[in-house]
Structure formats: structure tokens, C-alpha cells
Amino acid sequence: MLKKRIIVCLDVKDGRTTKGVKFLNNIDIGDPVEMAAEYYRQGVDELVFYDIIASARGRGPILDLISKVASQVFIPFCVGGGITTLDDIRSTILAGAEKVSLNSQAVKNPDLIKEGARVFGNQCIVLGMDVRKDSSKPSGYGTTIHGGRVDTGLDALEWAKKAVSLGAGEIVLNSMDADGTKDGYDVELTKMIAEAVPVPVIASGGAGKPEHLTKVLTEGKADAALIATMVHSGQYTVESIKKSLQQEGVPVRL
């Protein structure tokens, strides 16, 4: 049976790790390089590093910071934010990332998914989705970009399927409604997307306790769960979360 992955997300703003609720009221919580090293020690399966303001400011990825983080961790490391060209993908991978996450730019320029997958392989191209409930859409969910500030008009389910057909090898599915609330993942959303695409789906947004991960990894059919506040707050460690999951019968790497 395939092991379920636990992924820690570092949202980075101006070179520091930050955390907010529903993408608002962000506060500084530390140095991303030190935090990456600590989560690696705790046994996290992967790390995701999002530069949350790069796209809005129209600048590329912070390569020196990416290479500093990469030097501390020896696990898959995904970087998102400000990646707009094949050269950005190349330089991010050369700086030490295994994967890049395309979100705003994937919507604006879907060919970047296709070309990125062709040049670097599907496994390197991750689709980031920031999704909100929207009763006007066929699936009940719409897609946003620029950190949730811009509604794309795209139906979430249709966009997920299209991006995978273009070459996205994985989806990080973030529920904007649940983000940072610690009330649990949107299990219904996760299950809908996971059942519709043939690539791994990573649930994101809303984790507050280990039971939330158990639910989204089983009922929600997610391949992995992204966490942030749970571990950033010091309330849980990656190891304690994995032990809880194992006790609930969820297969994880200890």
C-alpha cells in the first residue's frame, strides 16, 4: 500500500516565513531556512515553499533563499511563486528544488504547464489551486489566483482536469474557505478532485489536529496532506502527527 505523505508548507514573504488565515493578517513566524532544517529533522516527507507575493509584485523566484533551504533538506522540495517562464523553472530546479508549483501563471499561460512537463517531466510540474466555494460553478467551486485576490472564472474541477491533461503531475488543492482556520480540510472538495484526476492530489487548508489529516487521507482520498499552522505553532511535531495517523491505520513513513 502506498504510504501517505505529510508535507509542511512554508509561506514566505520578504524572506521570512509568514502565516495568515484565509490569506489575510499574515504575521512573521521565523526564518524559513532554520524552519526547513527543523522539519527535516522531525521526519517530514516533503517541503513546499511558497513566495506568496512574488506573482503580485511581478518578480521571479528568490533563488538564493531557495538554495539555502535546499542545502538543509534531503527530501523532495517544491517551490512556488513568481515562476513565469521555462527559464524560471530551470533556475528554480538548479537552485535545488525538485518540483515547481504553478498557480497564477498556469491560469494565465497554460502552455507553461505543457512546456514545463515536456522539458522537465510531469513529476516536476505541480499545479497549485486556490479554490473557493462558488454556487455559480458546475462543481460548486471556483478558482482564484494572486493569493486569492483575483477570481479566474474557472470551475475548479474543469481546471484540474485540463491542467492534468496538459502535463501537471500533481495538484496541491488549497481550500481558501478553510485556509488557516484549523477546522479541518474540505474533504468533499478533495475527494471530488482526487477521484477525477489520475495524478496525486495534496490536500491543503484547514488542518488543526491529526484527526483532520486522517479524514482527508481516507475519506477525502488525498495522497498527501499539507500542514502549516499545526506545526508552526509548536502544538504538534511531524513525528507526533505521523504516530497518530499510524494508530488510525493510515500508512505513513516513520
Side-chain angles (χ1 to χ4, degrees), residues 139 155-165 171 173 188-201 220-221 223:
S139 70
D155 178 76
L157 181 59
E158 286 311 308
W159 173 230
K161 288 186 195 166
K162 183 181 177 189
V164 169
S165 74
I171 294 175
L173 182 64
E188 190 185 328
L189 166 68
T190 309
K191 184 179 182 212
M192 175 179 71
I193 302 289
E195 287 182 338
V197 296
V199 300
V201 171
K221 310 268 180 91
D223 296 270

Side-chain angles (χ1 to χ4, degrees), residues 124-216:
C124 287
I125 307 299
V126 178
L127 178 73
M129 291 178 67
D130 291 324
V131 173
R132 266 202 189 99
K133 285 181 179 164
D134 181 345
S135 57
S136 73
K137 299 288 185 292
S139 70
Y141 293 89
T143 309
T144 68
I145 56 171
H146 291 315
R149 291 185 288 275
V150 179
D151 182 6
T152 64
L154 293 168
D155 178 76
L157 181 59
E158 286 311 308
W159 173 230
K161 288 186 195 166
K162 183 181 177 189
V164 169
S165 74
L166 288 168
E170 194 164 65
I171 294 175
V172 174
L173 182 64
N174 187 40
S175 164
M176 300 284 299
D177 304 296
D179 183 77
T181 61
K182 300 192 276 187
D183 293 333
Y185 296 91
D186 188 330
V187 174
E188 190 185 328
L189 166 68
T190 309
K191 184 179 182 212
M192 175 179 71
I193 302 289
E195 287 182 338
V197 296
V199 300
V201 171
I202 300 162
S204 171
K209 50 190 182 181
E211 296 93 285
H212 293 153
L213 280 83
T214 299
K215 193 168 183 183
V216 84

